[in-house]
Amino acid sequence: MVVVMSIAASREDIDRVATFIAEHDARAHISQGEERTIIGVIGYQHRVQREHLATLPGVEKVIPISKPFKLVSREFKKDNTIIPINGVKIGGGIPVVIAGPCSVESEKQILETAYMVKENGGHLLRGGAFKPRSSPYSFQGLGKQGLKFLQRAREETGLYIVTEVLEAMYVPLVAEYADVLQIGARNMQNYELLKSVGRIQKPVLLKRGMSATLTEFLMSAEYIMSEGNNQIILCERGIRTFVEYTRNTLDLNVVPAVKSISHLPILVDPSHGTGRRDLIEPLSLGALAVGADGLLIEVHPRPEEALSDADQTLGEAAFKRLMHLINHFTAWQENYQQQVAGTAFA
Amino acid sequence: MVVVMSIAASREDIDRVATFIAEHDARAHISQGEERTIIGVIGYQHRVQREHLATLPGVEKVIPISKPFKLVSREFKKDNTIIPINGVKIGGGIPVVIAGPCSVESEKQILETAYMVKENGGHLLRGGAFKPRSSPYSFQGLGKQGLKFLQRAREETGLYIVTEVLEAMYVPLVAEYADVLQIGARNMQNYELLKSVGRIQKPVLLKRGMSATLTEFLMSAEYIMSEGNNQIILCERGIRTFVEYTRNTLDLNVVPAVKSISHLPILVDPSHGTGRRDLIEPLSLGALAVGADGLLIEVHPRPEEALSDADQTLGEAAFKRLMHLINHFTAWQENYQQQVAGTAFA
Amino acid sequence: MVVVMSIAASREDIDRVATFIAEHDARAHISQGEERTIIGVIGYQHRVQREHLATLPGVEKVIPISKPFKLVSREFKKDNTIIPINGVKIGGGIPVVIAGPCSVESEKQILETAYMVKENGGHLLRGGAFKPRSSPYSFQGLGKQGLKFLQRAREETGLYIVTEVLEAMYVPLVAEYADVLQIGARNMQNYELLKSVGRIQKPVLLKRGMSATLTEFLMSAEYIMSEGNNQIILCERGIRTFVEYTRNTLDLNVVPAVKSISHLPILVDPSHGTGRRDLIEPLSLGALAVGADGLLIEVHPRPEEALSDADQTLGEAAFKRLMHLINHFTAWQENYQQQVAGTAFA
Amino acid sequence: MVVVMSIAASREDIDRVATFIAEHDARAHISQGEERTIIGVIGYQHRVQREHLATLPGVEKVIPISKPFKLVSREFKKDNTIIPINGVKIGGGIPVVIAGPCSVESEKQILETAYMVKENGGHLLRGGAFKPRSSPYSFQGLGKQGLKFLQRAREETGLYIVTEVLEAMYVPLVAEYADVLQIGARNMQNYELLKSVGRIQKPVLLKRGMSATLTEFLMSAEYIMSEGNNQIILCERGIRTFVEYTRNTLDLNVVPAVKSISHLPILVDPSHGTGRRDLIEPLSLGALAVGADGLLIEVHPRPEEALSDADQTLGEAAFKRLMHLINHFTAWQENYQQQVAGTAFA
């Protein structure tokens, strides 16, 4: 932490800051510049202190230096976290495809979709049983019945299940049926929910909030990990900007940015990220190109009948085409990495 | 709803859309332009339909016309909603000041603050017992003990209590102690929580999410109202933008924008909105000038010791000065309105 | 400037940074923390250096401490800059109202508007002769003929003229007719234009760019001032955010933020800022309440006939009503300040 | 254009709108819904009209249907525009790499860089002679001397030259030396400059403004094209959002979005887009994966000595590695497209 004193700060102001730091079990390192003084805080640093320092006379601003997260950082754990689920390794180098409908609508629909996902090479099945909808008048999901339909789809196809949990109190129920629990973007800072999924031992797919900074995103993962669950899969799903041609702005920059400071795997959801069916294929390839560990794709046997998100959902032909592209790209990428291994390009 | 067909749309495409509309119990009104055809949808319109229409061949886009909210709209209820709390009328013309610390820290601290609020003319006491903190390592509030301290402060000072509830399952507990239940910005789209507070009969203070559009903000209020609770107080607390000189960008435009389409009262929180102690006074006056029904202000007897948000908290001298300003301004405003009543300026 | 070394930085890395600083005529002040080392740079600091430092091995980030602007800062000049124009003092305590049509359309129209502005108490006349329009097919202004019509309006009414200049090469022409040269938001970083208006001795009204940070805004003013012209009037006119209910998001926070770090006056333009006629009155009052030195208001004798920006333009009745409100508020404000002068509330 | 009447609109209001439309040589098509009336405007539609319509009593909003641009739209010209420059075809399927330093600093530096670009397979040389810098105290470029150095680099290496022009009056000078004239992000809405480059017959590289919508971006291209120059290369270079881990947010969504509505080629600049050297490689691959026609890359023989943008500039090793990756990816992509040509995946 660095305390920047204002140009007008007096000797007294500087001493007061130094005393304050000493009283809080840290050491003050004073650098007297020509224009102004800056004071480094060395030793144990509790966040609250920063806000207090900012209230002292003569202080212009206080700049944090240390990252506020620990367990999710690459400094804490150097190697990539790999999460094995039913033979698939998320973060293990081969991109994983999680596909399925926005909502579970009926047993027939989810079974049909599950077979479609499986036959085209998808790795996990997603589908919403509890749906967060911005309108109280929209379809809210089938609830527990939806979970049962998902379970049936797993029994039939062998695909493992990813589904959202909306509330801390429903974590035990959803964990009974799901293989991966999804935390939606609107709940990224629902700390009770984060703590709840932190106490179970199943993988958690944590979606980035619509206006979450990278630090906030990782702090939410830190909440889960600090409770003991380290099977966390991050997921970028679009941020809110002034842009009007996509529903959200899918931020592919965040993928390598996460990789550089965290060991956790990160997926990309181009369906929600763009909200446009015609952009899903190019942005899927883009996501893998920047280093994403996999994709979340909305698919439906008959998108025009889907009860939610119809306009961003792929039908079978488009999904088959996408999987074909992904497989070819993945093969090229593996091949390229092997070829350059040990050369200056590695 | 208006369906805009692409320039290349065929006669068949147009017929398919018309048939689809008819099959869903609405009427299609076709306007053939020189370049393209647009189709009005008349009659019952369910949201899901819009997304389906968007998937039909030849459709360029579908533009919703009706607002998605009903109960919170001024078209539904013409007169302003006024919420009486212990003699204060929120939305009744006189701005209300809700003040208190970010967190309840101890009985002594909350009592001291409550007296400070009361003596300087504040109307309600706020204070957090359950705190949503972006770090799992930060102070998380005193919980139930904090609620008891707040109750004690009400008994001592007569000030009614506003405090946050973080989870649907805690609504009964918090409602036992609080006079107004606050939904924080991070929970604005926690629909389970919204439904829960919709089922009690106490006023709810709903804070706008950091990246919530006006429609989303009002849809969250609609969730509460659709469950039967119409005592909703909206609150602007800053949005997330590229701006770096304030923690958030307090959006005063939303105040008159809400007033024009909704009957609900709206407050402004300049403490969180700006995150800068020196901006609270000017933005408080600005908020009242644009028509806010009141203010949320963070105060503490000794801001430099506060366990959270110290740098945006007013001490007693600054709060006294603010209340003095607010009272003078309010008197002027009433006086002005009376003076122009019945003239062309009214 | 503070150099933050990464946790993994070696002794060599630290020495290399220190040497680099010394070679560039500054001094390195090394603070060795428990986790990492930070290095203060003391003495002469040129911006380019920062980017170089960032490229050295072991450097995590470089944090600038000094503000990049000098002449426009309050540290450089403590007292408010006051710009006298034809008896009006911009920044002198009494809010100034600059009103007029978006575009000069005809001699009749501008004369009619000028009388309307004058009779209702406006201080200066604004009107565009050269118009920056996002479409090449929209009305582009009358050009030099428009300037002549403005000159005629000044002769008739005595109101001084504010008008926009789009290009460095037109500065002499526009300066011949205008009393205040306006730099539009889209040109806030047109540095050639800034330098050109910096070389004349007429006041410049500099509008904030749609996505300009406060630092960028003040740096553009610094460009003008560094060429010798210190008659600069800043103007907030709305920023670009995700918000959809106003054309732009008028940012009233910037007004007191500017006042705290710069001596320059700042106006607010609620017409462009909101793009909504019904929000102009409340936001005008809000702007004055947060401390703006005046307002830019679009008015037209018959808004429904205006060739541009009709939907954000006030007609005479609304303008009269606004001026009445402003005058009453200003009187109250002066009165309040006198009353509290010398008390603890001052 | 569709006029949405408010629920409270009277029969008179509707008639007034219809009359207004008829008076402006268009036809009104009235659709009476159960709640409200909407009126389609058929025939010739001038933009100004929309704003006037919005001022009429009873009108809630006016929704534009037609796109405001014509010449740059895919509806106007179905086939991709291909711009041949010295044997390279921009938009012709093979990605082009334009590389060079942020600023031309000396003859030695630009020659050295040019050879580095050429030897590693770059197609064109970029370099700034006139630099738009946010500080008046930063290095502003070598001006005409810089242009001469660039000319020399072309003579030596045969690489064609891309360089920025800042002012309409400098267009002839820059066009004398440059093969492609660049319009920077800050000048995207400098309409005089756009018109000037529209009147020459050299390719123009138009960078997207930091807060430009897709429509605004294409309208700026329309300005150039409406003057007669149709050799326009668009370039995404990052937008301004709340995100803090990249200097800007590189928006890869815009690439396929442009492709769907315009025939113009589009490049991506990951150097400015991210401002982080370590993100250039992944985002370059991402850009090509989403369909970009090429890249702009900042390179320098010794980045740590560059006079501007040192922290986002690649040295030779990193550039060589990037070119190797790009070439492999391009070969795969071509191969894939040939393989699927004529299949269902095409």
Side-chain angles (χ1 to χ4, degrees):
Chain A
M1 196 151 42
V2 173
V3 182
V4 179
M5 303 301 292
S6 79
I7 290 182
S10 67
R11 188 64 239 172
E12 262 185 347
D13 292 337
I14 294 166
D15 290 346
R16 194 181 300 107
V17 170
T19 306
F20 184 94
I21 291 168
E23 283 172 4
H24 289 77
D25 304 325
R27 278 175 299 125
H29 192 134
I30 299 176
S31 296
Q32 202 137 357
E34 271 159 40
E35 262 204 333
R36 66 176 84 224
T37 297
I38 64 172
I39 303 173
V41 183
I42 294 173
Y44 177 71
Q45 303 180 358
H46 190 273
R47 184 181 173 276
V48 172
Q49 222 176 26
R50 179 169 83 82
E51 296 172 339
H52 287 178
L53 277 169
T55 67
L56 297 179
V59 172
E60 190 165 300
K61 57 180 167 181
V62 183
I63 302 170
I65 300 295
S66 302
K67 296 182 187 83
F69 43 84
K70 305 277 170 198
L71 307 175
V72 300
S73 73
R74 209 172 262 293
E75 285 155 1
F76 177 78
K77 174 168 178 292
K78 212 178 163 179
D79 295 332
N80 287 338
T81 287
I82 295 175
I83 299 170
I85 304 172
N86 192 26
V88 180
K89 287 178 180 169
I90 299 183
I94 315 271
V96 64
V97 175
I98 303 175
C102 180
S103 306
V104 179
E105 297 164 8
S106 66
E107 188 172 12
K108 179 170 175 298
Q109 171 247 19
I110 194 67
L111 282 178
E112 216 176 328
T113 312
Y115 278 115
M116 176 179 144
V117 170
K118 171 138 189 157
E119 279 158 22
N120 289 290
H123 303 101
L124 289 110
L125 178 68
R126 53 151 290 163
F130 297 92
K131 298 300 305 170
R133 302 301 300 273
S134 56
S135 167
Y137 311 123
S138 295
F139 174 61
Q140 309 270 322
L142 296 179
K144 191 174 174 181
Q145 186 61 56
L147 295 176
K148 289 186 173 170
F149 291 157
L150 285 166
Q151 191 180 34
R152 181 98 170 75
R154 182 176 43 189
E155 287 163 9
E156 290 268 337
T157 61
L159 288 175
Y160 274 37
I161 300 300
V162 181
T163 198
E164 184 166 353
V165 56
L166 294 178
E167 266 286 295
M169 63 180 152
Y170 294 135
V171 169
L173 173 69
V174 176
E176 203 181 310
Y177 293 90
D179 302 294
V180 178
L181 280 79
Q182 178 176 315
I183 306 290
R186 292 178 181 83
N187 275 320
M188 193 202 81
Q189 295 189 314
N190 182 334
Y191 301 119
E192 291 299 315
L193 180 56
L194 297 175
K195 283 187 257 180
S196 290
V197 296
R199 290 186 208 111
I200 59 167
Q201 286 306 326
K202 288 213 165 179
V204 175
L205 193 154
L206 177 66
K207 290 192 135 187
R208 180 184 183 188
M210 264 198 289
S211 56
T213 63
L214 179 50
T215 297
E216 288 167 345
F217 191 15
L218 291 175
M219 286 308 286
S220 287
E222 185 87 6
Y223 256 97
I224 298 170
M225 213 163 153
S226 70
E227 295 288 337
N229 186 351
N230 52 22
Q231 299 179 71
I232 303 167
I233 306 156
L234 304 172
C235 184
E236 158 65 20
R237 46 76 71 207
I239 55 172
R240 188 151 269 180
T241 70
F242 66 85
V243 162
E244 83 298 8
Y245 49 88
T246 40
R247 186 186 290 185
N248 299 292
T249 297
L250 191 70
D251 175 17
L252 294 185
N253 309 276
V254 82
V255 174
V258 158
K259 294 276 172 200
S260 79
I261 58 170
S262 176
H263 52 81
L264 295 173
I266 178 164
L267 309 183
V268 169
D269 175 349
S271 305
H272 284 91
T274 67
R276 276 178 60 167
R277 202 191 284 184
D278 64 325
L279 299 191
I280 292 173
E281 186 178 304
L283 271 304
S284 290
L285 194 63
L288 299 183
V290 299
D293 296 296
L295 300 166
L296 243 77
I297 305 287
E298 288 199 358
V299 299
H300 194 283
R302 286 167 303 283
E304 64 284 1
E305 292 177 11
L307 291 184
S308 49
D309 283 352
D311 44 358
Q312 66 191 33
T313 297
L314 298 186
E316 181 154 20
F319 182 56
K320 190 186 286 293
R321 183 186 142 113
L322 175 66
M323 289 303 299
H324 190 259
L325 175 64
I326 290 173
N327 290 333
H328 270 249
F329 175 77
T330 304
W332 167 76
Q333 205 171 29
E334 269 190 281
N335 184 25
Y336 181 76
Q337 278 155 11
Q338 279 168 19
Q339 191 204 309
V340 301
T343 74
F345 299 123
Chain B
M1 197 151 43
V2 173
V3 182
V4 179
M5 303 301 292
S6 78
I7 290 183
S10 67
R11 186 65 237 171
E12 262 183 349
D13 292 339
I14 294 166
D15 290 346
R16 194 181 301 107
V17 170
T19 305
F20 184 94
I21 291 168
E23 283 171 6
H24 289 77
D25 304 325
R27 277 176 300 124
H29 192 134
I30 299 176
S31 297
Q32 201 137 358
E34 271 158 41
E35 264 205 331
R36 66 176 85 224
T37 297
I38 63 172
I39 303 173
V41 183
I42 295 172
Y44 177 70
Q45 304 180 356
H46 189 273
R47 185 180 174 274
V48 173
Q49 223 176 28
R50 178 168 83 83
E51 296 172 339
H52 287 177
L53 277 169
T55 69
L56 297 180
V59 172
E60 190 165 301
K61 57 179 168 182
V62 183
I63 302 168
I65 300 296
S66 301
K67 295 180 187 85
F69 42 83
K70 305 277 168 195
L71 307 174
V72 302
S73 74
R74 209 171 262 293
E75 284 155 1
F76 177 78
K77 174 168 180 290
K78 212 176 164 179
D79 294 334
N80 287 338
T81 286
I82 296 173
I83 299 170
I85 303 172
N86 192 27
V88 180
K89 286 178 181 168
I90 298 183
I94 314 271
V96 63
V97 176
I98 303 176
C102 179
S103 305
V104 179
E105 297 163 8
S106 66
E107 188 172 12
K108 179 170 175 297
Q109 170 247 21
I110 194 66
L111 282 178
E112 215 176 329
T113 312
Y115 279 114
M116 175 180 145
V117 170
K118 171 142 191 154
E119 279 158 22
N120 288 289
H123 303 101
L124 289 109
L125 178 68
R126 53 150 290 163
F130 297 92
K131 297 299 305 170
R133 301 301 300 271
S134 56
S135 168
Y137 312 122
S138 294
F139 175 61
Q140 309 270 322
L142 296 179
K144 191 172 173 180
Q145 187 60 58
L147 295 176
K148 289 186 174 170
F149 292 158
L150 285 166
Q151 191 180 34
R152 181 98 169 74
R154 182 176 45 190
E155 287 163 10
E156 289 269 336
T157 61
L159 288 175
Y160 273 38
I161 300 299
V162 181
T163 198
E164 184 166 353
V165 57
L166 293 178
E167 263 290 291
M169 63 181 153
Y170 295 134
V171 168
L173 173 69
V174 177
E176 205 181 308
Y177 293 89
D179 300 294
V180 178
L181 280 78
Q182 179 175 314
I183 306 290
R186 292 178 183 81
N187 276 319
M188 192 201 83
Q189 294 189 314
N190 182 334
Y191 301 119
E192 290 299 315
L193 180 56
L194 296 176
K195 283 187 257 179
S196 291
V197 297
R199 290 186 208 113
I200 60 167
Q201 287 306 326
K202 288 211 165 179
V204 175
L205 193 154
L206 176 67
K207 289 193 137 186
R208 181 184 182 188
M210 263 197 289
S211 57
T213 64
L214 179 50
T215 297
E216 289 168 344
F217 192 16
L218 291 175
M219 285 308 288
S220 288
E222 185 86 9
Y223 255 97
I224 299 171
M225 211 163 155
S226 70
E227 294 287 335
N229 186 350
N230 52 22
Q231 297 180 72
I232 303 166
I233 306 156
L234 303 172
C235 183
E236 157 67 21
R237 47 76 72 206
I239 56 172
R240 188 150 269 179
T241 71
F242 65 86
V243 162
E244 84 296 8
Y245 48 87
T246 41
R247 185 187 289 187
N248 299 292
T249 296
L250 191 70
D251 175 17
L252 294 187
N253 308 277
V254 82
V255 174
V258 159
K259 294 275 175 201
S260 79
I261 58 169
S262 175
H263 52 83
L264 295 173
I266 179 165
L267 309 183
V268 169
D269 175 349
S271 305
H272 284 91
T274 66
R276 278 178 59 167
R277 201 192 282 184
D278 63 326
L279 298 192
I280 292 172
E281 185 178 304
L283 270 304
S284 290
L285 194 63
L288 299 183
V290 299
D293 296 296
L295 300 166
L296 242 77
I297 305 287
E298 288 198 358
V299 300
H300 194 283
R302 285 167 303 283
E304 66 284 1
E305 292 177 11
L307 291 185
S308 49
D309 283 351
D311 44 357
Q312 65 191 34
T313 297
L314 298 186
E316 181 153 21
F319 182 57
K320 191 188 285 294
R321 181 185 144 111
L322 176 66
M323 290 303 297
H324 190 260
L325 175 64
I326 290 172
N327 290 332
H328 269 250
F329 175 77
T330 303
W332 166 75
Q333 205 171 28
E334 270 191 281
N335 183 24
Y336 181 76
Q337 277 155 11
Q338 278 168 20
Q339 191 204 311
V340 300
T343 75
F345 298 123
Chain C
M1 196 150 45
V2 173
V3 183
V4 179
M5 303 301 292
S6 78
I7 290 182
S10 67
R11 186 66 239 170
E12 262 184 348
D13 291 340
I14 294 167
D15 289 346
R16 194 181 300 107
V17 170
T19 305
F20 185 94
I21 292 167
E23 282 171 6
H24 289 79
D25 304 324
R27 277 176 299 124
H29 192 135
I30 299 176
S31 298
Q32 202 136 357
E34 272 159 40
E35 262 206 332
R36 65 176 85 225
T37 298
I38 64 172
I39 304 172
V41 183
I42 296 172
Y44 176 71
Q45 304 180 356
H46 189 273
R47 183 180 175 275
V48 172
Q49 225 176 24
R50 178 169 83 83
E51 296 173 338
H52 287 177
L53 277 169
T55 69
L56 297 180
V59 172
E60 189 166 301
K61 56 181 169 180
V62 184
I63 302 169
I65 300 296
S66 303
K67 295 181 187 87
F69 44 83
K70 305 276 169 197
L71 307 174
V72 301
S73 73
R74 207 170 265 291
E75 284 155 2
F76 177 78
K77 175 169 179 290
K78 211 177 165 180
D79 295 333
N80 288 337
T81 286
I82 295 173
I83 299 170
I85 304 170
N86 192 27
V88 180
K89 286 178 181 167
I90 298 183
I94 314 271
V96 63
V97 176
I98 303 176
C102 178
S103 305
V104 179
E105 297 164 9
S106 67
E107 189 172 12
K108 179 170 174 298
Q109 171 247 20
I110 194 67
L111 282 177
E112 216 176 326
T113 312
Y115 278 116
M116 175 179 145
V117 170
K118 172 141 190 153
E119 280 158 22
N120 288 290
H123 303 102
L124 288 110
L125 179 67
R126 53 150 290 162
F130 297 92
K131 296 300 304 171
R133 300 303 298 272
S134 57
S135 168
Y137 312 123
S138 294
F139 175 60
Q140 308 270 322
L142 296 179
K144 190 172 174 179
Q145 187 60 55
L147 295 176
K148 289 186 174 168
F149 291 158
L150 284 166
Q151 190 180 36
R152 181 97 170 73
R154 180 174 45 190
E155 287 163 12
E156 289 268 336
T157 62
L159 288 175
Y160 274 37
I161 301 298
V162 181
T163 198
E164 183 165 353
V165 56
L166 294 178
E167 264 289 291
M169 64 181 154
Y170 295 135
V171 168
L173 173 69
V174 176
E176 205 181 306
Y177 294 88
D179 301 294
V180 178
L181 280 78
Q182 179 176 314
I183 306 290
R186 291 178 184 81
N187 277 320
M188 193 202 82
Q189 294 190 313
N190 182 334
Y191 301 118
E192 290 299 315
L193 180 55
L194 296 175
K195 285 187 256 180
S196 291
V197 297
R199 290 186 207 112
I200 60 167
Q201 287 306 326
K202 289 212 163 178
V204 175
L205 192 153
L206 177 67
K207 290 192 135 187
R208 180 184 184 188
M210 263 197 288
S211 56
T213 63
L214 179 51
T215 297
E216 288 168 346
F217 191 16
L218 290 175
M219 285 308 287
S220 288
E222 185 87 7
Y223 255 97
I224 299 171
M225 213 162 154
S226 70
E227 294 287 336
N229 186 351
N230 52 21
Q231 298 179 73
I232 303 167
I233 306 155
L234 303 172
C235 184
E236 157 67 21
R237 47 75 72 207
I239 56 172
R240 188 150 271 179
T241 71
F242 66 86
V243 162
E244 84 298 7
Y245 48 88
T246 42
R247 187 187 289 186
N248 300 292
T249 296
L250 191 70
D251 175 17
L252 295 186
N253 308 278
V254 81
V255 173
V258 159
K259 294 276 173 202
S260 78
I261 58 170
S262 176
H263 52 82
L264 294 174
I266 179 164
L267 309 183
V268 169
D269 175 349
S271 304
H272 284 90
T274 66
R276 278 177 59 166
R277 202 192 281 183
D278 62 326
L279 298 192
I280 293 173
E281 186 177 303
L283 271 305
S284 291
L285 193 64
L288 299 183
V290 298
D293 296 296
L295 301 165
L296 244 76
I297 305 286
E298 289 199 358
V299 300
H300 194 284
R302 285 167 303 284
E304 65 284 1
E305 292 177 12
L307 291 185
S308 49
D309 283 351
D311 44 358
Q312 65 190 36
T313 297
L314 298 185
E316 181 153 21
F319 182 57
K320 189 187 286 293
R321 182 185 143 111
L322 175 66
M323 290 303 298
H324 190 259
L325 175 65
I326 291 172
N327 290 333
H328 270 249
F329 175 78
T330 304
W332 167 75
Q333 205 171 28
E334 271 190 281
N335 184 24
Y336 181 75
Q337 278 155 10
Q338 278 168 21
Q339 191 205 310
V340 300
T343 74
F345 298 123
Chain D
M1 198 150 42
V2 173
V3 183
V4 179
M5 302 300 294
S6 78
I7 290 182
S10 67
R11 186 65 239 175
E12 262 184 348
D13 292 339
I14 294 166
D15 290 345
R16 194 181 300 105
V17 170
T19 305
F20 184 93
I21 292 167
E23 283 171 5
H24 288 78
D25 303 325
R27 278 176 299 124
H29 192 134
I30 299 176
S31 297
Q32 203 137 355
E34 270 158 41
E35 261 205 334
R36 64 176 86 224
T37 296
I38 65 172
I39 302 173
V41 183
I42 295 172
Y44 178 71
Q45 304 179 357
H46 190 274
R47 183 180 173 275
V48 172
Q49 222 175 27
R50 178 168 83 83
E51 296 173 339
H52 288 178
L53 277 169
T55 68
L56 296 181
V59 172
E60 189 166 301
K61 58 179 166 181
V62 183
I63 302 169
I65 300 294
S66 302
K67 297 182 185 84
F69 43 83
K70 305 276 170 197
L71 307 174
V72 302
S73 73
R74 210 171 262 292
E75 285 155 1
F76 178 77
K77 175 168 178 291
K78 210 176 165 181
D79 295 332
N80 288 338
T81 287
I82 296 173
I83 299 170
I85 303 171
N86 192 27
V88 180
K89 286 178 179 167
I90 299 183
I94 315 270
V96 64
V97 175
I98 304 175
C102 179
S103 305
V104 179
E105 297 164 8
S106 68
E107 188 173 11
K108 180 170 174 299
Q109 170 247 19
I110 193 66
L111 282 178
E112 216 176 329
T113 312
Y115 278 115
M116 175 178 145
V117 171
K118 171 139 189 156
E119 280 158 21
N120 289 290
H123 302 101
L124 289 110
L125 178 68
R126 54 150 291 162
F130 297 92
K131 297 300 306 171
R133 301 302 301 272
S134 56
S135 167
Y137 312 122
S138 295
F139 174 60
Q140 309 269 322
L142 296 179
K144 192 174 173 179
Q145 187 60 57
L147 294 177
K148 289 185 174 170
F149 291 158
L150 284 166
Q151 191 181 36
R152 181 96 170 75
R154 181 176 44 190
E155 287 163 11
E156 290 268 337
T157 62
L159 288 175
Y160 274 37
I161 301 298
V162 181
T163 198
E164 184 166 353
V165 57
L166 293 178
E167 264 287 294
M169 64 180 152
Y170 294 135
V171 170
L173 173 70
V174 177
E176 204 182 306
Y177 293 89
D179 302 294
V180 178
L181 280 78
Q182 178 176 315
I183 306 291
R186 292 179 182 81
N187 275 320
M188 193 201 82
Q189 294 190 313
N190 182 334
Y191 301 119
E192 290 299 315
L193 180 56
L194 296 176
K195 284 188 256 180
S196 290
V197 297
R199 290 186 207 111
I200 60 167
Q201 286 306 325
K202 289 212 164 179
V204 175
L205 193 154
L206 176 67
K207 289 193 137 187
R208 181 184 182 187
M210 263 197 289
S211 57
T213 63
L214 179 51
T215 297
E216 288 168 346
F217 191 15
L218 291 175
M219 286 309 287
S220 287
E222 185 87 6
Y223 256 97
I224 298 171
M225 211 162 155
S226 70
E227 294 287 336
N229 187 351
N230 51 22
Q231 298 179 73
I232 303 167
I233 306 156
L234 304 173
C235 184
E236 158 66 20
R237 46 76 72 206
I239 55 172
R240 188 150 271 180
T241 71
F242 66 86
V243 162
E244 83 299 7
Y245 49 87
T246 41
R247 185 187 290 185
N248 299 292
T249 297
L250 191 69
D251 174 17
L252 294 186
N253 309 277
V254 82
V255 174
V258 158
K259 294 276 173 200
S260 78
I261 58 170
S262 175
H263 52 83
L264 295 173
I266 178 164
L267 308 182
V268 169
D269 176 348
S271 305
H272 285 90
T274 66
R276 277 177 60 166
R277 202 193 281 184
D278 63 327
L279 298 192
I280 293 173
E281 186 178 303
L283 271 305
S284 290
L285 193 63
L288 299 183
V290 299
D293 296 296
L295 300 166
L296 244 77
I297 305 288
E298 289 199 358
V299 300
H300 194 284
R302 286 167 303 283
E304 65 284 3
E305 293 177 10
L307 292 184
S308 47
D309 283 351
D311 44 358
Q312 65 191 33
T313 296
L314 298 185
E316 180 153 21
F319 183 56
K320 189 187 285 295
R321 181 186 144 112
L322 175 66
M323 289 304 296
H324 189 260
L325 174 64
I326 291 173
N327 289 332
H328 270 249
F329 175 77
T330 304
W332 167 75
Q333 205 171 30
E334 269 190 282
N335 184 24
Y336 181 75
Q337 277 155 11
Q338 278 168 20
Q339 192 204 309
V340 301
T343 74
F345 299 123

